[in-house]
Amino acid sequence: MQCYAELIPPTAVTHALSLPFISANSNNLVVAKTSLLQVFSFRKVNNELHDERNSHGDPEDIARTTNHQDSGNNTLKSDLAFHRSERTQITKLVLITEVNLSGTVTSLAGIKNVVSRSGGEALLIAFSDAKLSLIEWDPERHGISTISIHYYEQEDLMGSPWAPDLGQCVSYLTADPSSRCAALKFGVRSLAILPFRQAGDDLVMEDYDPEIDGEPPEPTPASKQVNGDSSTPPTPYGSSFVLPLSALDPGLIHPIHLSFLFEYREPTFGILSSTVAASSSLLYERRDTVSYAVFTLDLEQRASTTLLSISGLPFDLQAVIPLPLPVGGALLVGDNELIHVDQAGKTNGVGVNSFAKRCSSYAMADQSELEIQLENCKIEQLGLDSGEMLIVLNTGHLAIVSFKLDGRSVSGVAVRRIAPDHGGLSVKAGASCTALVGNGKLFIGSEDADSIVLGWTRKTAQLSRKRSSAGIFTGDTDMPSDEEEIEDYDDDLYSSAVQDSHQEQDLPLASKVSQDGDYSFRVHDYLPNTAPMRDLVLGHPASNSQNGNERSTGEMRSDLELVTPTGRCHAGGVSILKRKIEPRIVAQFRFPEVRGIWSVCAKRPNAGGPIQQSTGKNKQISENHVSVDTVFDRFMIVSKASKNGSEDSAVYALTPMGFEQMKGTEFDPAAGATVDVGTLAGATRVIQILHSEIRSYDGDLSIAQIFPMTDEITGAEPKVVSTSFADPYLLIVRDDSSVIVLEADDHGDLDEVERGDALLATKWISGSLYTDQSHAFQAEVQDNKGNKGKDARTLLFLLSAEGGLHIFNAPDLRKPVYVAPSLSFLPSMITAEYTVRRSTARETLTELLVADLGDTVANTPHLILRAANDDLTIYEPFFYLSDDSPKSLSSSLRFLKISNPHLAKAPAQSAHDTAGAEQELRDNPLRAVGNIGGYSTVFMPGGSPSFVVKSASSAPRVLSLTGMATRGMSGFHTPGCDRGWVYVDVKGTARVCQLPQDSPLGHTDWVIRKVVLEEEVQAISYHEPLNSYVVGTSAKTKFQLPDEEDSYTEQRKEVPQVDHGTIKILSPINWTIVDSFSLDTAEMPITIKTLNLEVSEHTHERKHLIVIGTAIVRGEDLPARGCLYIFEIIAVVPQPGRPETNRKLKLIAREEVKGAVTDVSSIGTQGFLVAAQGQKCMVRGLKEDGSLLPVAFMDMMCYVTVIRELPGTGMCVLGDALKGLRFAGYTEDPYKMTLFGKNTSKLEVMTAEFLPDGKQLYIVVADTNCNIHILQFDPEHPKSLSGHNLLNRSSFHTGHFPSSLTLLPSTNRVPSSADAEAMDDVTSNPSQPSQQILMTTQSGSLALLTPLTEAQYRRLSALQIQLTNSLEHPCGLNPRSYRAAAVDGGTGGRNVVDGTILRRYMELGSHRRAEICGKIGADPWEVRGDLEIIGGGGLGYL
């Protein structure tokens, strides 16, 4: 009984498509990350904003400018000086929505729908199990809507019984450029055709005249089935059909690839196929076996016609790329050549390496000097008006394909590389997909590196450019209407790639491929990627003594951190994963009496005259921050507790050396406790909020006004509870549930704004002021996008005692402009009309806040609600303007709930954390800070301190702050701490902090830092005694023949490349390499482990040693060999100025063995190791002379992928890549390995791990089909044959290729005797798991497998069923079928619970959650506790 939950979503981009999805005029990018679908838009920002964001985590290659400065043509520059600002603009990604899919995406295609809800195009998605989903954007719901889903996985379509399964066949989707149909190739040779309706399909019947043409014919049953009843609107698609490829042409036996072509009247596609299977070993017999054919489809007759066929093409052709005008035709891509085929069948080819002529006799041009390998390359067109194309090679290098045109006929194809100084190395690894996203911009997705938005400029002849520019700006020609065209034109003009002719002559030979008319590339934006994760280790963070740059405490650091190898090629490195934000401590001091803290950025007073109010985009002051980079915080005001129990206030001046208490001002410390502090009137008035009055100071803290809280009518003196600032307004919420709004006039004096009856008669709990700079809450602006001249409005958001949302438009507080009475039910979408009947399951809301979330690229307002248990609910506002509804805020404004699986600490746990405090936590409201490290964020103080963080390309995330509960927090911006914050914890420690560097936030629920080593990391291990990481890297080097084979060498240009490994020590202090050991040629590290081995047979001394298994692979014709290395890390004298270099690798033993050493592990209690070498697993002991003595062995079958030992027991599992899993035991007297059991079904083991659960022993196995299997060793079960067979209890499809399984302890409460006595009590807390398994994948996702008790399993299984039936599943997919794994030999065990569905529990409203809890017979707190456990609550040490 286990639960599988994803902690980090996949980060590797597999597919991407550019299309107008949100609306007809939008430019959107749809990105698929295995099972995650994201929709982006684009925004242009200036380089200043780009540089500011780059300071906290952008890749180094983005900051580097790949272009060169233009040193000539100054006259031309002066003519277009007013366009200089556009030259510095770059394009950034802005996330619109993201959804998790219950399927693996294999292809994307855009479809132009006749009728669309948004006016944009529809998206056709293909999944791995022969499914197609047609979706579109629904503006009413602000999300995707499924139009249809099509299944093609029936058994009658799969052909013969011996045909391979769908999962073993390559399927791909292609769509007609005119959206007349789409084709899905699935299975061995099946082709599904899905036609789409066109605008002209109904023209015939519209022109039908019954007086002339007679009575119309009756529709046939088939047409009724396709078109539906006349009373219902027709579907955008027709009836699909499946054709075997042999029906098109009997020669299509081995289809390779197909794609629809441009410029045909009917749907026409080109297909590559072969009559025999391609084989490089049979090259002389199967040399040119590929044929290319073009077929046109008749959708009505379901027939096809062959237009042309070309045979005798090279055997290594892999893809068909359709080309639009001006080139036309198709480009056939092979491993060694490119061949263009026009509509008449004329071909032009070019070989890009010396293997092209050796592998094919086909006539083609020779460019073998390029030595380009086209395997797994991606090719995309450079702009819509250019015939040239960009090649992204598997190594990340760039090249250009150009066509020589004679009229409309292609007479030649040429390829040239992009030089490194022109951005040829902008891509760090191979691409998985490409998408043209606009003029001069291209999105390149990658599974091995960060996905990037790549922009380019092109230099041309300067004379023609000067003439054309003169024509533009003198009125000779019309100015282009497209802003991008103007910008790209200006970029071309001022491209830093433009150089003088004498500079081009000085270029090296490798760079002369980039000549006049070539391109220069630069990176605009990126999506972070932590894939592929190959391994996982736990290590201790750098201690205080090791890290001298930061002053931190153990309370602000986690006990352990996860480190995993990521990336490939030049993007290779390691990633450090942490569950919480560990800030950089700038300063730390004891402040035990402080109960609240605020920093103040105030301007000095003017000599006289009225105060100039601030205007512009940065008018809103959020948490005392003026958005002017040149102005720093001047004061710090604290509220302190005195010895007699009362509180007073103090003010400190912020200096470069720290802070000092101010004297000689009119600030009165004895006035009482400070509730809040802010600034108004353009930051010239400092407002101190006390419980009984409001004090206004000028910039030098001279008293300007005192505003008492006395009610003039009743004489009551209500106390201030909370406040909200939005210049020039101030909101006060008092303890009698009343609110007042104050406004600062031109002189900074506060005056009360007149309140209406609706505001006076309602009791209020909380409120927030928001200045709508982006016009997000103005319906008339949303309807007219071009209306940019309207002033920003200040809106008042109030939460009533009945749980309703009321919005007022300040200063008019007479009547609300928007009322949502059912806000406290927390529905998935808030509208003014939404009501809930007969339900009392309201959420107890305590606070409401409206603030901007985002970064310097894009920040948008969000509605944040805080519950009594500190859970945060986040809503995003949007407008839906229907044609028949009035354009008012009440009818068009809606709020969409954003998924937030983060759960705050339980009240008992929070009380435990604050148990040593001198005073209980006071009410700490949410704090909105305008700029912390470049992020507009919201901080939640209290028992669960957390940040709400969002970047432009991510959704809002709630990230916890490391440490204990906090009392107060404020932004902090000084010369010594740029854009940080200051806070005080419950123990009275005040810290000035900054966000961690090089860790972009918001993309996942974890904090991830990438360290690029520019080499592919194959394995990693942690050495605890010296707190160091040992990594095994590999890099490509030229292959060298051994000395005895020198007589067979030939002088050839092509030299194969092999992997050359290196062992390196990585210091966690600054994540640099401090020592390295080079392996032999063609030797690569496979596994690295730190084992506690016995080093002396006499004293039985043990040491932590580094054990490394390697493989020496010299080619296919020579057997693989391996080596077993044992290193010791010793302390040495460090290099001057580098204290982290005080360690070095010392070789203890080296043993060369037959076969590769694929895995090692410790075994037994005597300090021995077991190594998988070739087809044997051998137990060895280290002798004092440095040799490894074998003492026991076990024969294996093919290739051992994993060895795991249950520590201290001698029991181990041995996984084979082809022959399944074996469970064995090792005994020491005598030395012997004994087989206990093995699996009975076919199993291709990738990795495995033990999972002890009480007295039961489970083995978790991950296979090559992205499944995990739960096997059990139970000798007492009759089906196990006395334990000889391992019982397959359950199987679960993860959707991601597994790479490692790691057994981790759980920090949840240990079961006690009270649990056993309360087993019959339904409301009692069940025992918690003591161990969990963390799984890494090739797609970058991180998952957790948690054992469950009987009560937990029943509760969560019932909850999963209810949520599956209640939640909407995107694309119409079935989560049950997605998680089902087809395996043989099951023994009737229980299914693994899908934690991905369970973590969507908080998406439901409070009434739906209460209803589901009632159906499953569980208390909401029990469900909440279970969700915390499966969500990683037991990983408290990370």
Side-chain angles (χ1 to χ4, degrees):
M1 299 176 293
Q2 297 81 20
C3 179
Y4 172 91
E6 287 186 7
L7 304 181
I8 296 179
T11 59
V13 175
T14 56
H15 301 85
L17 179 67
S18 176
L19 77 166
F21 186 66
I22 304 302
S23 63
N25 299 323
S26 63
N27 181 21
N28 301 117
L29 175 69
V30 179
V31 170
K33 300 178 179 179
T34 309
S35 59
L36 181 67
L37 192 70
Q38 295 178 321
V39 181
F40 296 92
S41 62
F42 298 93
R43 176 169 298 182
K44 296 178 182 178
V45 298
N46 295 326
N47 267 341
E48 290 78 8
L49 300 181
H50 157 69
D51 293 338
E52 181 178 354
R53 183 183 176 187
N54 187 69
S55 63
H56 57 74
D58 279 15
E60 185 178 350
D61 54 357
I62 296 185
R64 184 178 63 248
T65 303
T66 57
N67 301 337
H68 299 283
Q69 295 296 329
D70 184 11
S71 58
N73 203 9
N74 296 326
T75 304
L76 192 58
K77 288 185 178 181
S78 61
D79 292 339
L80 304 179
F82 68 95
H83 275 288
R84 272 186 188 272
S85 59
E86 293 189 13
R87 178 172 62 92
T88 62
Q89 285 186 336
I90 56 178
T91 302
K92 294 289 185 177
L93 293 170
V94 179
L95 180 69
I96 297 177
T97 186
E98 64 177 13
V99 291
N100 286 297
L101 305 177
S102 297
T104 301
V105 178
T106 58
S107 297
L108 301 175
I111 303 297
K112 301 180 180 67
N113 257 352
V114 179
V115 179
S116 175
R117 298 182 183 181
S118 63
E121 295 184 6
L123 179 65
L124 188 63
I125 308 176
F127 296 93
S128 58
D129 46 0
K131 292 186 180 70
L132 290 178
S133 291
L134 185 65
I135 64 174
E136 66 176 351
W137 181 258
D138 187 359
E140 185 177 359
R141 297 171 54 252
H142 197 69
I144 65 172
S145 175
T146 304
I147 300 175
S148 63
I149 184 169
H150 309 267
Y151 294 83
Y152 302 101
E153 54 183 356
Q154 295 86 351
E155 294 182 359
D156 56 344
L157 298 177
M158 295 310 299
S160 57
W162 54 84
D165 298 334
L166 280 176
Q168 300 176 353
C169 301
V170 178
S171 63
Y172 40 83
L173 173 70
T174 178
D176 177 55
S178 301
S179 299
R180 291 166 290 193
C181 68
L184 174 68
K185 184 267 175 186
F186 65 98
V188 180
R189 53 182 68 89
S190 297
L191 188 67
I193 306 297
L194 179 61
F196 296 98
R197 303 188 186 280
Q198 301 297 310
D201 291 348
D202 299 330
L203 293 179
V204 177
M205 295 307 297
E206 291 177 358
D207 297 337
Y208 185 81
D209 190 352
E211 297 181 357
I212 300 176
D213 301 326
E215 293 296 329
E218 292 291 333
T220 61
S223 63
K224 289 182 180 181
Q225 184 178 3
V226 173
N227 300 326
D229 192 6
S230 59
S231 60
T232 60
T235 59
Y237 56 89
S239 178
S240 63
F241 55 93
V242 177
L243 294 175
L245 288 176
S246 58
L248 303 179
D249 189 342
L252 299 178
I253 300 177
H254 297 279
I256 300 174
H257 190 255
L258 65 89
S259 183
F260 280 95
L261 305 179
F262 291 91
E263 305 301 326
Y264 282 93
R265 296 178 58 88
E266 298 294 336
T268 304
F269 65 88
I271 181 171
L272 284 172
S273 65
S274 176
T275 56
V276 294
S279 175
S280 58
S281 60
L282 300 177
L283 183 59
Y284 291 99
E285 297 181 4
R286 304 178 183 180
R287 190 175 182 84
D288 295 324
T289 58
V290 174
S291 62
Y292 173 73
V294 177
F295 297 92
T296 181
L297 295 176
D298 189 343
L299 300 179
E300 295 182 358
Q301 301 297 327
R302 299 185 176 182
S304 64
T305 303
T306 304
L307 298 184
L308 62 90
S309 179
I310 303 173
S311 60
L313 297 175
F315 83 103
D316 57 356
L317 292 177
Q318 300 295 332
V320 179
I321 299 180
L323 302 179
L325 293 178
V327 179
L331 183 66
L332 310 182
V333 183
D335 296 341
N336 308 306
E337 65 280 323
L338 297 171
I339 299 177
H340 176 266
V341 182
D342 62 10
Q343 295 183 355
K346 178 184 175 182
T347 62
N348 290 276
V350 56
V352 295
N353 56 49
S354 56
F355 287 100
K357 290 296 183 181
R358 300 184 183 184
C359 298
S360 175
S361 301
Y362 199 80
M364 64 184 75
D366 185 15
Q367 282 191 282
S368 58
E369 68 278 359
L370 294 175
E371 291 300 334
I372 292 177
Q373 290 80 37
L374 298 177
E375 290 90 346
N376 300 322
C377 72
K378 297 299 176 181
I379 301 181
E380 187 64 48
Q381 189 174 10
L382 289 174
L384 301 177
D385 55 349
S386 172
E388 295 184 323
M389 308 190 76
L390 177 68
I391 304 178
V392 184
L393 301 178
N394 191 36
T395 58
H397 293 78
L398 303 180
I400 299 293
V401 181
S402 58
F403 302 92
K404 182 180 180 181
L405 298 177
D406 291 338
R408 294 192 58 180
S409 176
V410 177
S411 59
V413 182
V415 181
R416 63 185 185 276
R417 286 180 178 268
I418 297 297
D421 56 352
H422 285 249
L425 300 179
S426 299
V427 186
K428 300 302 180 182
S432 60
C433 57
T434 57
L436 186 65
V437 298
N439 291 338
K441 287 171 281 293
L442 178 72
F443 177 80
I444 300 177
S446 177
E447 299 183 65
D448 304 314
D450 293 340
S451 301
I452 62 174
V453 176
L454 191 67
W456 68 85
T457 55
R458 186 178 185 183
K459 59 178 181 179
T460 55
Q462 297 182 2
L463 181 60
S464 60
R465 283 287 187 176
K466 187 173 181 178
R467 292 177 179 175
S468 61
S469 62
I472 290 178
F473 296 104
T474 56
D476 295 341
T477 58
D478 295 333
M479 182 174 290
S481 59
D482 191 354
E483 294 180 359
E484 290 188 357
E485 292 182 3
I486 300 178
E487 178 191 348
D488 294 334
Y489 185 90
D490 188 61
D491 284 349
D492 294 346
L493 207 58
Y494 292 109
S495 171
S496 55
V498 180
Q499 301 181 7
D500 293 339
S501 58
H502 65 86
Q503 291 178 336
E504 292 184 1
Q505 295 175 2
D506 296 335
L507 290 175
L509 182 61
S511 302
K512 289 188 177 180
V513 293
S514 301
Q515 299 174 355
D516 185 51
D518 210 343
Y519 297 84
S520 184
F521 295 87
R522 62 176 299 188
V523 177
H524 286 206
D525 200 2
Y526 77 109
L527 294 178
N529 178 25
T530 57
M533 295 182 178
R534 296 183 181 86
D535 202 352
L536 184 69
V537 294
L538 281 80
H540 293 284
S543 62
N544 301 340
S545 59
Q546 292 173 311
N547 198 340
N549 297 328
E550 301 176 7
R551 287 174 288 178
S552 59
T553 63
E555 299 172 352
M556 297 307 297
R557 290 185 294 108
S558 58
D559 297 330
L560 298 172
E561 59 188 5
L562 294 178
V563 182
T564 175
T566 57
R568 190 176 65 87
C569 295
H570 295 288
V574 297
S575 294
I576 301 95
L577 287 70
K578 300 181 180 181
R579 294 180 63 242
K580 299 180 180 181
I581 296 178
E582 295 185 5
R584 176 178 177 267
I585 308 299
V586 179
Q588 176 176 310
F589 44 89
R590 288 287 298 166
F591 232 151
E593 67 276 11
V594 170
R595 296 297 178 265
I597 189 168
W598 298 267
S599 63
V600 181
C601 177
K603 297 179 181 179
R604 299 187 182 276
N606 296 330
I611 298 173
Q612 298 295 327
Q613 296 285 349
S614 61
T615 59
K617 187 174 182 180
N618 294 320
K619 177 182 176 182
Q620 182 184 3
I621 302 173
S622 179
E623 189 58 32
N624 314 325
H625 265 294
V626 179
S627 299
V628 180
D629 295 336
T630 58
V631 179
F632 298 103
D633 295 340
R634 297 176 54 204
F635 310 117
M636 184 173 67
I637 298 177
V638 298
S639 181
K640 301 187 297 184
S642 59
K643 296 181 180 180
N644 57 6
S646 61
E647 293 188 15
D648 55 10
S649 302
V651 59
Y652 298 86
L654 299 178
T655 64
M657 303 302 296
F659 62 94
E660 57 185 18
Q661 189 166 1
M662 294 185 63
K663 297 180 180 180
T665 65
E666 298 181 4
F667 186 89
D668 186 7
T674 300
V675 178
D676 200 359
V677 177
T679 57
L680 292 177
T684 58
R685 287 289 186 265
V686 179
I687 309 299
Q688 181 191 16
I689 310 296
L690 306 176
H691 283 293
S692 58
E693 65 184 18
I694 299 174
R695 296 196 169 197
S696 177
Y697 303 89
D698 61 11
D700 289 334
L701 295 183
S702 297
I703 192 71
Q705 184 183 4
I706 298 179
F707 194 95
M709 285 291 103
T710 305
D711 193 333
E712 298 179 355
I713 300 177
T714 63
E717 296 182 357
K719 294 184 178 181
V720 177
V721 175
S722 62
T723 63
S724 179
F725 289 87
D727 199 5
Y729 299 100
L730 170 62
L731 170 67
I732 305 294
V733 181
R734 301 183 288 191
D735 58 357
D736 60 350
S737 300
S738 64
V739 299
I740 62 172
V741 179
L742 306 180
E743 183 180 6
D745 58 16
D746 293 340
H747 295 274
D749 297 331
L750 298 177
D751 192 10
E752 184 177 352
V753 179
E754 182 180 355
R755 295 173 289 174
D757 296 337
L759 201 63
L760 293 172
T762 309
K763 294 183 177 296
W764 308 103
I765 298 177
S766 178
S768 176
L769 287 169
Y770 177 75
T771 303
D772 189 12
Q773 298 286 350
S774 59
H775 310 297
F777 294 99
Q778 300 184 31
E780 61 274 14
V781 176
Q782 296 292 329
D783 185 49
N784 183 13
K785 299 296 184 181
N787 191 354
K788 300 297 184 182
K790 297 190 68 66
D791 296 333
R793 298 178 181 177
T794 300
L795 300 177
L796 171 62
F797 295 80
L798 291 175
L799 175 63
S800 65
E802 292 78 16
L805 171 65
H806 298 251
I807 303 178
F808 294 84
N809 192 359
D812 184 7
L813 305 181
R814 294 172 298 177
K815 182 179 179 181
V817 296
Y818 183 88
V819 177
S822 302
L823 175 66
S824 59
F825 289 103
L826 302 181
S828 58
M829 182 179 296
I830 299 175
T831 61
E833 297 81 13
Y834 180 82
T835 57
V836 178
R837 299 179 180 179
R838 299 179 182 179
S839 178
T840 59
R842 292 177 178 267
E843 187 73 33
T844 304
L845 300 179
T846 61
E847 193 173 354
L848 172 148
L849 176 66
V850 177
D852 286 331
L853 295 178
D855 53 16
T856 55
V857 175
N859 50 21
T860 54
H862 289 76
L863 172 64
I864 303 176
L865 304 175
R866 185 179 185 179
N869 56 6
D870 278 349
D871 283 343
L872 296 179
T873 305
I874 307 173
Y875 285 92
E876 178 185 5
F878 72 95
F879 277 86
Y880 174 66
L881 301 173
S882 59
D883 296 335
D884 53 350
S885 63
K887 295 179 176 57
S888 63
L889 200 68
S890 178
S891 61
S892 57
L893 178 61
R894 304 184 177 191
F895 293 87
L896 179 67
K897 181 190 283 189
I898 297 176
S899 178
N900 176 29
H902 181 272
L903 298 175
K905 292 182 181 179
Q909 189 176 1
S910 299
H912 179 269
D913 293 343
T914 60
E918 299 177 1
Q919 182 178 340
E920 294 183 357
L921 285 174
R922 60 185 294 169
D923 185 20
N924 284 303
L926 297 173
R927 299 287 183 182
V929 187
N931 191 346
I932 290 184
Y935 294 96
S936 298
T937 181
V938 171
F939 181 77
M940 180 179 70
S944 301
S946 306
F947 280 99
V948 184
V949 181
K950 180 187 183 302
S951 65
S953 56
S954 71
R957 312 277 183 181
V958 180
L959 302 178
S960 299
L961 179 67
T962 303
M964 56 185 61
T966 60
R967 286 175 178 158
M969 178 268 184
S970 177
F972 197 83
H973 182 47
T974 63
C977 179
D978 182 53
R979 297 304 180 188
W981 77 93
V982 59
Y983 77 98
V984 181
D985 62 19
V986 292
K987 289 189 176 181
T989 301
R991 297 182 180 91
V992 178
C993 309
Q994 288 179 319
L995 288 177
Q997 297 179 354
D998 304 325
S999 300
L1001 304 178
H1003 293 275
T1004 66
D1005 294 326
W1006 289 43
V1007 180
I1008 302 177
R1009 177 186 178 184
K1010 290 183 63 176
V1011 178
V1012 179
L1013 303 178
E1014 294 189 349
E1015 287 188 2
E1016 190 169 346
V1017 179
Q1018 302 292 340
I1020 187 172
S1021 182
Y1022 175 70
H1023 189 265
E1024 185 175 3
L1026 289 180
N1027 192 22
S1028 300
Y1029 293 92
V1030 180
V1031 296
T1033 65
S1034 64
K1036 296 292 184 180
T1037 58
K1038 292 183 179 180
F1039 176 77
Q1040 294 180 359
L1041 290 172
D1043 297 335
E1044 64 270 13
E1045 299 181 9
D1046 284 343
S1047 58
Y1048 298 98
T1049 58
E1050 298 181 10
Q1051 297 297 328
R1052 297 176 178 175
K1053 290 184 178 181
E1054 71 280 358
V1055 177
Q1057 291 186 332
V1058 295
D1059 290 311
H1060 178 224
T1062 307
I1063 310 301
K1064 300 180 179 180
I1065 298 180
L1066 184 64
S1067 173
I1069 300 177
N1070 51 12
W1071 298 104
T1072 58
I1073 302 298
V1074 298
D1075 190 30
S1076 62
F1077 178 86
S1078 180
L1079 301 177
D1080 293 340
T1081 304
E1083 186 176 11
M1084 184 174 63
I1086 302 297
T1087 179
I1088 300 178
K1089 296 291 177 59
T1090 301
L1091 305 179
N1092 188 12
L1093 301 181
E1094 182 181 282
V1095 296
S1096 175
E1097 302 175 75
H1098 305 289
T1099 62
H1100 302 288
E1101 179 187 0
R1102 291 194 179 188
K1103 288 184 179 180
H1104 285 80
L1105 302 178
I1106 307 298
V1107 182
I1108 301 173
T1110 66
I1112 304 175
V1113 182
R1114 299 169 54 196
E1116 298 177 353
D1117 56 340
L1118 296 176
R1121 295 182 292 110
C1123 281
L1124 200 60
Y1125 292 87
I1126 297 182
F1127 288 93
E1128 181 185 1
I1129 301 182
I1130 60 176
V1132 296
V1133 178
Q1135 299 176 9
R1138 297 190 62 190
E1140 70 276 4
T1141 60
N1142 61 343
R1143 57 209 67 185
K1144 192 175 183 63
L1145 288 170
K1146 178 183 178 182
L1147 182 62
I1148 300 297
R1150 180 183 185 273
E1151 185 82 14
E1152 188 169 346
V1153 297
K1154 294 182 179 179
V1157 180
T1158 55
D1159 203 1
V1160 295
S1161 175
S1162 60
I1163 194 167
T1165 60
Q1166 296 182 347
F1168 289 178
L1169 66 89
V1170 56
Q1173 49 186 69
Q1175 295 178 334
K1176 291 182 182 296
C1177 287
M1178 191 167 293
V1179 180
R1180 294 174 177 268
L1182 179 61
K1183 299 179 65 176
E1184 293 182 354
D1185 59 356
S1187 61
L1188 294 171
L1189 178 65
V1191 297
F1193 73 95
M1194 175 175 285
D1195 289 323
M1196 299 299 292
M1197 299 298 292
C1198 297
Y1199 183 88
V1200 179
T1201 56
V1202 61
I1203 299 178
R1204 289 290 187 273
E1205 186 214 14
L1206 194 61
T1209 63
M1211 294 184 293
C1212 61
V1213 290
L1214 311 172
D1216 194 283
L1218 297 176
K1219 298 299 182 179
L1221 188 82
R1222 295 190 176 191
F1223 177 45
Y1226 166 72
T1227 59
E1228 297 171 346
D1229 189 16
Y1231 296 124
K1232 184 180 179 182
M1233 291 192 72
T1234 305
L1235 179 65
F1236 290 160
K1238 59 183 179 180
N1239 67 298
T1240 57
S1241 60
K1242 181 181 178 181
L1243 195 60
E1244 298 176 351
V1245 180
M1246 292 305 300
T1247 183
E1249 183 60 274
F1250 285 102
L1251 183 60
D1253 187 8
K1255 295 183 179 180
Q1256 298 176 340
L1257 180 60
Y1258 294 97
I1259 302 173
V1260 181
V1261 183
D1263 65 7
T1264 57
N1265 294 323
C1266 304
N1267 301 325
I1268 57 174
H1269 306 270
I1270 311 297
L1271 307 181
Q1272 183 183 8
F1273 177 71
D1274 187 5
E1276 299 179 357
H1277 196 282
K1279 291 187 177 181
S1280 68
L1281 302 179
S1282 300
H1284 184 70
N1285 294 335
L1286 298 177
L1287 303 178
N1288 191 343
R1289 289 302 189 184
S1290 180
S1291 298
F1292 186 84
H1293 183 70
T1294 65
H1296 309 288
F1297 196 84
S1299 58
S1300 70
L1301 296 173
T1302 306
L1303 185 64
L1304 299 178
S1306 176
T1307 57
N1308 289 305
R1309 183 176 57 86
V1310 179
S1312 62
S1313 59
D1315 295 325
E1317 298 174 358
M1319 286 299 292
D1320 297 333
D1321 187 3
V1322 179
T1323 61
S1324 64
N1325 276 331
S1327 60
Q1328 309 297 345
S1330 59
Q1331 290 176 316
Q1332 297 170 300
I1333 287 182
L1334 207 58
M1335 185 180 81
T1336 60
T1337 64
Q1338 295 286 344
S1339 59
S1341 65
L1342 188 70
L1344 185 68
L1345 189 68
T1346 306
L1348 303 176
T1349 62
E1350 180 70 23
Q1352 287 176 325
Y1353 182 81
R1354 291 183 178 182
R1355 186 163 52 244
L1356 294 181
S1357 296
L1359 179 61
Q1360 176 185 344
I1361 295 174
Q1362 294 294 328
L1363 292 178
T1364 302
N1365 298 331
S1366 301
L1367 293 172
E1368 179 182 358
H1369 305 292
C1371 300
L1373 300 174
N1374 186 0
R1376 294 191 185 98
S1377 63
Y1378 175 60
R1379 296 303 187 184
V1383 294
D1384 299 330
T1387 55
R1390 296 182 174 182
N1391 294 328
V1392 177
V1393 181
D1394 187 2
T1396 304
I1397 295 294
L1398 297 179
R1399 299 191 75 189
R1400 297 183 59 189
Y1401 171 76
M1402 300 302 293
E1403 295 182 13
L1404 299 175
S1406 60
H1407 64 290
R1408 288 290 296 133
R1409 296 201 297 265
E1411 180 182 345
I1412 289 178
C1413 288
K1415 288 182 179 180
I1416 65 177
D1419 188 85
W1421 279 104
E1422 288 180 319
V1423 175
R1424 177 188 172 87
D1426 295 339
L1427 294 179
E1428 184 178 357
I1429 292 173
I1430 67 174
L1435 305 176
Y1437 43 82
L1438 296 179

